[in-house]
Amino acid sequence: MKALVFHGPGQCAWQEVPDPELQAPTDAIVRIGTVTVCGTDLHILRGELPEVSPGRVLGHEGVGEVVETGADVRGIRPGERVLISCVSACGHCRFCRERAYGQCHGGGGWVLGRTVDGTQAEYVRVPFADLSTHPLTGAAERPDAVLLSDVFPTAYEVGVLNGRVEPGDTVVVVGAGPVGLASIATAQFFSPGRIIAVDPVPARLDAAKRIGADAVADSAEGPERLVDDLTEGLGADVVIEAVGSPRSFESCTRMVRPGGRIANVGVHSRPATLHLEKLWSQNVTITTGLVDTYSTATLLSQLAAGRLPAAMLITHLLELDQMEEAYDVFARATDTGAIKIALGEAARPLVARER
């Protein structure tokens, strides 16, 4: 088969590799229909995750058809369409029993495209298939469901739920990339008073307004002043950090109100300064997290009901063998306007939105 293989920092190639085979009775083999590229994949390509070794097939998101299952797999069968979760769950360890699947100590967690071969391929072996796939039926059987592998659960769980968004809240989302936009979409489940999006790219701020942001601010032009004006000097109830940079995190700490919450979603590869000399007396709660994907079934029902604007985040549609081009387009998002790229069968049924 063909797959996107990591060959070290700055190097990857779409090339022939051996077909995946069942390695455990809880595995499944899935023929990939639609995949996408994640910001975390770019971190890997830049060499920022040393646990990813050269030769690894990348990718942790996908929709496809089950072609083979291990003897212990009961929940899915060959021929079924499934969503592949970015997190694999053994189902037996302490963390899995607490629904903290991202912290699985039984061989799961975030392994696809990291410590085992991933989804940016024609076929993928999915470990712990019963708990790590979701059958797609009815209105949820659509290519843009691929964004529920990672983007929407991450935004909802690590951003919105960790941030405890409540009715009437002022919510600031710093970073209007895919996860930031998904945070804006899912924050609306809780009827916040206003949502403010912060980003330096005008096209992403426009996308934020289409998704549901009430106000937008250029991150280079003092968004703290806008938040201060809109809240009469109080500050935001919830600030969601969806970038993963020291500058953006420190900006979040300047926009949150006393007693407010900062939910860090961004993947940080460098240290950020925590100004406890200013925050220690402010009763601020800061949360971090790796997605657990416990909310995927709920989000799939919202997608099927037409309440989740997943297709609006897809700006580019490519064929599966254009994987290297997809990485280039996604890495140059400021120039290309890319938010999410769907590769594979999504290129046919989806209609690209206006931009």
Side-chain angles (χ1 to χ4, degrees):
M1 71 170 185
K2 291 288 188 71
L4 195 283
V5 180
F6 175 64
H7 289 292
Q11 302 176 60
C12 64
W14 180 253
Q15 64 184 67
E16 287 192 2
V17 299
D19 292 345
E21 298 180 349
L22 297 175
Q23 297 180 18
T26 52
D27 289 349
I29 305 296
V30 176
R31 180 182 64 80
I32 290 295
T34 303
V35 295
T36 184
V37 180
C38 178
T40 306
D41 296 325
L42 298 183
H43 284 283
I44 292 172
L45 191 58
R46 290 194 289 263
E48 294 170 359
L49 278 76
E51 66 267 31
V52 182
S53 57
R56 178 68 60 221
V57 175
L58 298 183
H60 51 269
E61 302 159 278
V63 167
E65 178 184 336
V66 179
V67 296
E68 188 179 4
T69 57
D72 291 348
V73 176
R74 297 289 183 267
I76 58 173
R77 58 182 182 270
E80 275 195 293
R81 298 272 300 170
V82 295
L83 171 72
I84 300 167
S85 175
C86 67
V87 166
S88 302
C90 79
H92 302 293
C93 71
R94 171 179 175 174
F95 293 105
C96 284
R97 289 176 181 272
E98 295 173 351
R99 297 200 311 167
Y101 307 124
Q103 306 301 323
C104 175
H105 274 204
W110 172 35
V111 294
L112 286 173
R114 183 180 177 219
T115 57
V116 305
D117 287 339
T119 59
Q120 290 170 1
E122 294 176 326
Y123 294 85
V124 62
R125 178 182 70 89
V126 181
F128 308 114
D130 275 333
L131 289 175
S132 307
T133 62
H134 297 265
L136 294 177
T137 59
E141 191 174 347
R142 41 197 281 185
D144 58 327
V146 70
L147 299 193
L148 275 66
S149 285
D150 184 358
V151 173
F152 275 93
T154 295
Y156 185 51
E157 295 173 18
V158 187
V160 174
L161 295 182
N162 276 5
R164 305 200 315 274
V165 174
E166 297 178 353
D169 276 353
T170 293
V171 178
V172 177
V173 178
V174 179
V179 172
L181 294 174
S183 298
I184 293 169
T186 53
Q188 293 172 70
F189 294 166
F190 298 94
S191 302
R194 64 170 68 88
I195 300 174
I196 304 165
V198 178
D199 199 278
V201 181
R204 292 194 167 192
L205 294 178
D206 289 341
K209 287 187 281 189
R210 289 194 294 272
I211 292 291
D214 301 289
V216 298
D218 187 327
S219 57
E221 297 180 0
E224 295 91 343
R225 289 194 298 272
L226 174 63
V227 173
D228 195 57
D229 290 343
L230 291 176
T231 62
E232 299 180 347
L234 182 64
D237 300 285
V238 181
V239 185
I240 296 173
E241 200 284 343
V243 179
S245 76
R247 180 178 177 182
S248 63
F249 176 80
E250 291 165 28
S251 176
C252 291
T253 65
R254 293 191 294 271
M255 289 187 283
V256 69
R257 68 164 174 83
R261 288 89 67 194
I262 299 172
N264 183 88
V265 187
V267 177
H268 289 264
S269 58
R270 290 177 292 153
T273 301
L274 181 62
H275 288 284
L276 284 176
E277 78 280 6
K278 297 178 181 178
L279 293 173
W280 73 269
S281 63
Q282 297 299 303
N283 294 20
V284 171
T285 299
I286 299 174
T287 59
T288 66
L290 174 67
V291 66
D292 293 310
T293 66
Y294 63 80
S295 68
T296 304
T298 297
L299 293 170
L300 279 170
S301 68
Q302 293 292 91
L303 181 72
R307 299 190 183 100
L308 208 60
M312 291 181 67
L313 272 63
I314 296 175
T315 53
H316 293 71
L317 305 171
L318 300 174
E319 299 294 339
L320 196 60
D321 61 4
Q322 293 178 283
M323 191 68 68
E324 292 176 74
E325 179 183 344
Y327 267 74
D328 177 64
V329 170
F330 193 57
R332 297 186 299 108
T334 301
D335 299 323
T336 63
I339 295 176
K340 286 298 281 186
I341 301 171
L343 298 99
E345 59 195 16
R348 286 164 286 283
L350 283 177
V351 178
R353 63 176 179 78
E354 294 180 5
R355 53 182 189 272

